[in-house]
């Protein structure tokens, strides 16, 4: 096959319009017996609606691989740059960081 190189390695193409990325500040994860669905959402201050920016559907096995990859990369990040402080942790430490409540969150996809 022409698309595979001689070492049988997969070549991944990153198109310019995808390379810019899409900002999201919330992920909603649902699952069934056969798939995980991750909706990436952008919440904007002062707006009553939030839009799903991207939806990724994957098998449970790939979801677990993603979880391991994220754990590994967070550990590497924190080793280089220090711990990532979560707003909930900062609030408990006496900081006045605002954390919006998501307990009554209702999403539509």
């Amino acid at each position: 096959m022409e698309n595979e190189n001689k070492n049988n390695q997969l070549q991944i193409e990153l198109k310019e319009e995808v390379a810019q990325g899409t900002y999201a500040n919330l992920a909603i994860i649902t699952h069934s017996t056969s798939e995980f669905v991750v909706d990436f959402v952008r919440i904007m201050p002062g707006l009553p609606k939030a839009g799903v920016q991207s939806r990724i559907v994957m098998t449970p096995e790939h979801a677990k691989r993603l979880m391991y990859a994220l754990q590994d990369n967070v550990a590497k990040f924190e080793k280089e740059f220090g711990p990532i402080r979560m707003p909930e942790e900062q609030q408990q430490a006496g900081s006045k960081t605002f954390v919006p409540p998501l307990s009554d969150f209702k999403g539509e996809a």
Side-chain angles (χ1 to χ4, degrees):
M1 293 188 80
E2 210 172 80
N3 291 340
E4 294 183 28
N5 67 22
K6 293 178 184 179
N7 294 331
N8 206 22
Q9 294 179 348
L10 177 65
Q11 294 182 7
I12 298 174
E13 178 185 5
L14 180 60
K15 295 180 181 178
E16 189 174 333
E17 63 271 13
V18 176
Q20 295 296 315
T22 300
Y23 180 78
N25 51 10
L26 175 68
I28 300 171
I29 303 169
T30 56
H31 65 276
S32 69
T33 57
S34 59
E35 62 194 14
F36 274 69
V37 178
V38 185
D39 287 328
F40 292 96
V41 180
R42 181 184 306 149
I43 298 175
M44 299 301 289
L47 296 180
K49 283 182 111 175
V52 173
Q53 301 301 306
S54 182
R55 171 174 277 188
I56 305 297
V57 181
M58 63 184 81
T59 65
E61 293 82 7
H62 282 98
K64 196 163 192 176
R65 286 186 183 104
L66 175 61
M67 180 189 72
Y68 288 146
L70 283 169
Q71 287 175 331
D72 182 53
N73 277 273
V74 167
K76 289 175 183 175
F77 177 94
E78 290 184 322
K79 184 176 179 182
E80 185 172 347
F81 300 107
I84 298 170
R85 305 266 184 233
M86 299 300 292
E88 303 85 31
E89 295 167 352
Q90 293 174 1
Q91 193 172 25
Q92 291 173 358
S95 175
K96 296 186 181 191
T97 302
F98 173 71
V99 179
L102 292 177
S103 58
D104 60 346
F105 177 76
K106 294 178 183 174
E108 292 180 3

